[in-house]
Amino acid sequence: MSRVDIERTTTGFAAKDPSGILSPYTYTLRNTGPEDVYVKVISCGICHTDIHQIKNDLGMSNYPMVPGHEVVGEVVEIGSVVTKFRAGDIVGVGCLVGCCGNCHPCKSEIEQYCNKKIWSYNDVYTDGNPTQGGFAGAMVVNQKFVVKIPDGMAPEQVAPLLCAGVTVYSPLHHFSLKQSGLRGGILGLGGVGHMGVKIAKAMGHHVTVFSSSDKKRVEALEDLGADEYLVSSDSSQMQEVADSLDYIIDTIPVFHPLEPYLSLLKVDGKLILMGVINTPLQFITPMVMLGRKTITGSFIGSIKETEEMLEFCKDKGVTSTIEVVKLDYINTAFERLEKNDVRYRFVVDVAGSKLDQ
């Protein structure tokens, strides 16, 4: 289809101020440009980052703000030069909707590291209009930032994969940690951590979950399939796995010591940081030097990695563990998420919330 020339609106749930309370908000969508895909939203996951944004925790929030960056929807219309998608396709939109296209990361197909990337919400398009996310009836997105959802995958199950799933898959791919037989650790068992366990197990890894208490032991071992569960404050348990891990994925978003975990890595092992922490972390250099260990970070994933991850999850039968809610429950869902009262991801049934009817 070609672009249309009528003004198009949609209704979403938006934060209007730093209270973070979401309420209905109707706004204009841009017309479908030559490279655009017009998507009717079906499902959208709730990420912990959404809380920081709606409450202006980072001091960069602009209102009104429609959050949501784990979006699955149906293509309604495509631009004149779009060839990858057609009306009726089920597609996904993740954290980004734009990049410069000219820098080294963009040319290397790792556009998530572009300094001029455009976020799916709480950002501004090159035309000066604000971006709005997936807790809404529809989105218009450049085709580069849309991925095809493999046939047979349920929209509500796919949604968290577009952020939490690819966030784990990307470093395992980049650091050549996908081969069977590796021993990995997952630090923190939230939305990202639970996907870390599932994806690592699907790759054939021996997976140890580390937590601050015993309360998640049963679900880690029985529900998620982890091989071991260790309480990080138990020095004897920690000593038993010293120098045994190829990698640790650290998803904890608050200050914590690194040295207890560095001691668990083999020579050339990697501690991969994923939690956004605004407090400096500390370690003594011999902990790294004497094992040629690496402390590194990773940030979401590229469109190419997202496509690969979706095919991997389909082939291996990897799904996310979710609780589905309607948009009229979204404020309660955010309150519960702040208390870690969800196993392990809320997904909003946007289509079932009948926003644009």
Side-chain angles (χ1 to χ4, degrees):
M1 296 183 186
S2 61
R3 62 172 288 170
V4 295
D5 295 317
I6 59 172
E7 185 177 83
R8 177 185 284 141
T9 63
T10 192
T11 299
F13 266 55
K16 312 292 177 59
D17 56 53
S19 71
I21 301 298
L22 274 63
S23 58
Y25 169 63
T26 299
Y27 54 99
T28 300
L29 294 172
R30 72 174 183 265
N31 290 330
T32 308
E35 294 193 49
D36 286 336
V37 179
Y38 173 45
V39 179
K40 180 181 179 182
V41 179
I42 298 172
S43 299
C44 185
I46 301 179
C47 176
H48 206 278
T49 303
D50 297 331
I51 296 175
H52 296 309
Q53 295 286 5
I54 63 177
K55 295 197 170 185
N56 197 29
D57 290 342
L58 304 178
M60 299 182 294
S61 296
N62 298 291
Y63 304 98
M65 178 201 306
V66 178
H69 60 227
E70 300 178 346
V71 188
V72 179
E74 179 182 351
V75 175
V76 176
E77 181 180 75
I78 60 173
S80 58
V81 302
V82 175
T83 58
K84 192 175 178 181
F85 306 102
R86 61 183 180 183
D89 283 349
I90 303 302
V91 298
V93 179
C95 298
L96 303 181
V97 293
C99 64
C100 78
N102 298 313
C103 66
H104 175 69
C106 286
K107 290 182 178 179
S108 302
E109 296 186 300
I110 48 172
E111 63 283 338
Q112 72 270 32
Y113 298 112
C114 172
N115 289 330
K116 296 181 180 179
K117 58 182 169 286
I118 300 175
W119 301 103
S120 299
Y121 69 89
N122 193 35
D123 207 342
V124 180
Y125 286 113
T126 53
D127 64 6
N129 289 314
T131 63
Q132 301 289 9
F135 299 138
M139 298 177 73
V140 178
V141 183
N142 184 286
Q143 64 173 335
K144 176 177 173 57
F145 298 92
V146 180
V147 295
K148 179 80 166 59
I149 304 302
D151 293 340
M153 299 185 78
E156 67 275 10
Q157 286 287 346
V158 171
L161 301 180
L162 298 171
C163 175
V166 75
T167 294
V168 171
Y169 183 89
S170 178
L172 295 177
H173 173 262
H174 174 72
F175 293 116
S176 300
L177 295 168
K178 291 166 63 178
Q179 64 269 35
S180 179
L182 296 181
R183 300 179 70 89
I186 305 295
L187 182 50
L189 200 59
V192 175
H194 102 281
M195 288 310 310
V197 175
K198 291 189 173 192
I199 288 176
K201 284 299 297 179
M203 290 178 176
H205 298 179
H206 180 284
V207 178
T208 300
V209 171
F210 299 94
S211 191
S212 59
S213 73
D214 236 0
K215 66 181 182 179
K216 294 184 179 180
R217 177 181 296 275
V218 172
E219 58 199 72
L221 297 175
E222 298 183 7
D223 298 341
L224 300 179
D227 297 286
E228 294 186 64
Y229 182 97
L230 300 183
V231 177
S232 53
S233 59
D234 188 326
S235 57
S236 62
Q237 285 187 358
M238 296 286 278
Q239 182 60 36
E240 289 177 4
V241 293
D243 302 314
S244 69
L245 302 181
D246 296 286
Y247 67 87
I248 296 174
I249 291 176
D250 183 348
T251 72
I252 295 180
V254 295
F255 175 84
H256 57 288
L258 299 184
E259 290 172 4
Y261 306 103
L262 287 169
S263 68
L264 307 182
L265 295 171
K266 295 178 180 177
V267 172
D268 290 326
K270 293 177 172 57
L271 177 61
I272 305 166
L273 302 178
M274 293 183 178
V276 178
I277 305 171
N278 294 323
T279 305
L281 301 179
Q282 296 179 327
F283 61 94
I284 58 172
T285 57
M287 295 290 295
V288 175
M289 295 164 55
L290 297 178
R292 200 165 60 189
K293 300 173 184 180
T294 301
I295 299 173
T296 187
S298 184
F299 178 66
I300 54 175
S302 67
I303 294 298
K304 184 177 180 180
E305 288 172 327
T306 301
E307 292 170 335
E308 292 176 2
M309 178 272 305
L310 289 172
E311 289 293 343
F312 173 84
C313 288
K314 180 186 178 182
D315 291 344
K316 299 293 186 179
V318 176
T319 59
S320 47
T321 301
I322 61 173
E323 179 177 338
V324 179
V325 300
K326 296 288 201 300
L327 271 168
D328 59 8
Y329 188 81
I330 196 166
N331 290 308
T332 302
F334 274 118
E335 291 174 5
R336 287 179 52 193
L337 178 57
E338 283 193 283
K339 301 173 184 176
N340 294 318
D341 179 23
V342 59
R343 296 292 181 270
Y344 284 89
R345 206 69 153 184
F346 283 114
V347 175
V348 178
D349 176 9
V350 178
S353 301
K354 304 185 186 305
L355 281 171
D356 286 337
Q357 293 186 8

